[in-house]
Amino acid sequence: MKWTDDRSGNVDDRRGSGGGGGAIVGGGLGTIIIAAIVFFLGGDPSAILSSSGSSSPRTEQRELSQGDLQVGEFVKMITAENEETWTKIFAENGMQYKPARVVLFREGTNSGCGQAQSAMGPFYCPTDQSVYMDMSFFQELQSKFGAKVTEFTIAYVMAHEMGHHVQNLLGTLDKTDQLRRSGRYSEAQLNQVSVATELQADFYAGLWARYSNEREKFLEPGDLESAVEAAEAVGDDNIQKRSQGYVNQESFTHGSSAQRKEWFMKGYNSGDIKQGDTFNQLLR
């Protein structure tokens, strides 16, 4: 993808300071499965984050490499493009957009939802309205899940997490949280709510790509394909096949590979936020 000149001041880069300790989750396949399950987490991840344990904070400073600095500039750019696009979309619908913060970290850091750790994968914390990203996740996405990681892959992941921020601003996450806490629904039904939440964030990511490209013309050949490939790689059916050798659709929490592709592309092709009601489509 082509770079733009826009940069956001809402990026907190903590990679040069000591983190809150490394991931407590065991390495190998267990880490990969956990990262995949909570990847693109739609609700409040505090329970998962807290359960992973705690460790003494480290205070050593790390010098960022030239590559690290370039990644930071890229994240500032994508954050800015999200802010500009969602400000426009909200204004078109008579609302005011409040930007999210993006936190870059290594190994571990504190979040409003508890201890953030590398094994969690990228996630959105509604409590402090921040997206947390350890860039090492993308190495696993490529090596363990088979997705070719490009700059636009990272842009898609960030746009998905920003989609959860949009859901938070619109009150969607509050409603889904109330459903989870009500005790009136089975686990299978709540899984469907989770799937609808995640697929709507995919729709919002596609919508962001459409609006932002119309403004900046930053998409290059293969960019959309790389986003779709990443979405398919973390589909529940693909993850289950790799981890347990079979697929159990009732346990889906993020949507199948086909669904994730479908809703991302629907957002991109429609360019209409009103067509992103995944809840009405899936929970009839």
Side-chain angles (χ1 to χ4, degrees), residues 100-252:
R101 181 180 58 154
V102 176
V103 179
L104 290 175
F105 70 96
R106 280 193 180 117
E107 296 184 356
T109 193
N110 292 322
S111 83
C113 296
Q115 182 70 18
Q117 298 180 346
S118 299
M120 310 313 299
F123 69 90
Y124 173 70
C125 173
T127 304
D128 59 13
Q129 298 190 5
S130 298
V131 172
Y132 288 84
M133 297 183 64
D134 184 330
M135 303 304 287
S136 66
F137 171 80
F138 294 97
Q139 298 171 3
E140 287 197 349
L141 183 62
Q142 182 163 293
S143 63
K144 305 299 184 183
F145 292 101
K148 179 182 178 183
V149 173
T150 67
E151 286 181 342
F152 197 70
T153 305
I154 299 172
Y156 156 65
V157 170
M158 288 186 61
H160 177 105
E161 297 305 337
M162 290 294 184
H164 287 314
H165 179 60
V166 170
Q167 291 173 321
N168 193 28
L169 296 179
L170 295 178
T172 305
L173 296 187
D174 283 341
K175 292 176 182 177
T176 58
D177 188 54
Q178 290 170 10
L179 291 177
R180 292 187 183 100
R181 296 174 185 273
S182 70
R184 299 196 303 266
Y185 301 94
S186 67
E187 182 178 355
Q189 289 173 319
L190 291 178
N191 285 345
Q192 278 295 96
V193 171
S194 179
V195 167
T197 304
E198 296 302 325
L199 293 181
Q200 187 176 67
D202 277 333
F203 175 88
Y204 288 158
L207 184 65
W208 167 81
R210 167 71 173 266
Y211 266 74
S212 300
N213 188 57
E214 287 179 348
R215 182 181 65 250
E216 299 292 349
K217 302 293 188 284
F218 59 32
L219 286 179
E220 296 181 309
D223 282 343
L224 285 178
E225 289 79 3
S226 70
V228 167
E229 187 176 327
E232 291 177 326
V234 291
D236 284 319
D237 48 348
N238 185 50
I239 292 171
Q240 289 183 358
K241 285 177 184 176
R242 287 174 178 267
S243 63
Q244 63 190 25
Y246 61 92
V247 173
N248 177 9
Q249 191 168 346
E250 282 195 1
S251 66
F252 283 7

Side-chain angles (χ1 to χ4, degrees), residues 54-106:
S54 60
S55 58
S56 300
R58 293 205 294 267
T59 58
E60 75 271 15
Q61 300 295 306
R62 303 183 181 94
E63 184 176 350
L64 296 180
S65 68
Q66 192 59 41
D68 290 331
L69 294 174
Q70 187 174 15
V71 167
E73 285 298 299
F74 180 77
V75 170
K76 290 176 183 177
M77 178 188 76
I78 297 302
T79 303
E81 300 307 338
N82 271 274
E83 290 169 355
E84 190 165 346
T85 289
W86 284 109
T87 296
K88 177 177 173 60
I89 294 174
F90 269 53
E92 289 175 351
N93 289 274
M95 299 178 292
Q96 185 173 359
Y97 180 71
K98 179 183 177 182
R101 181 180 58 154
V102 176
V103 179
L104 290 175
F105 70 96
R106 280 193 180 117

Side-chain angles (χ1 to χ4, degrees), residues 35-54:
I37 290 173
V38 297
F39 181 51
F40 303 157
L41 198 60
D44 183 347
S46 56
I48 301 172
L49 290 167
S50 300
S51 68
S52 60
S54 60

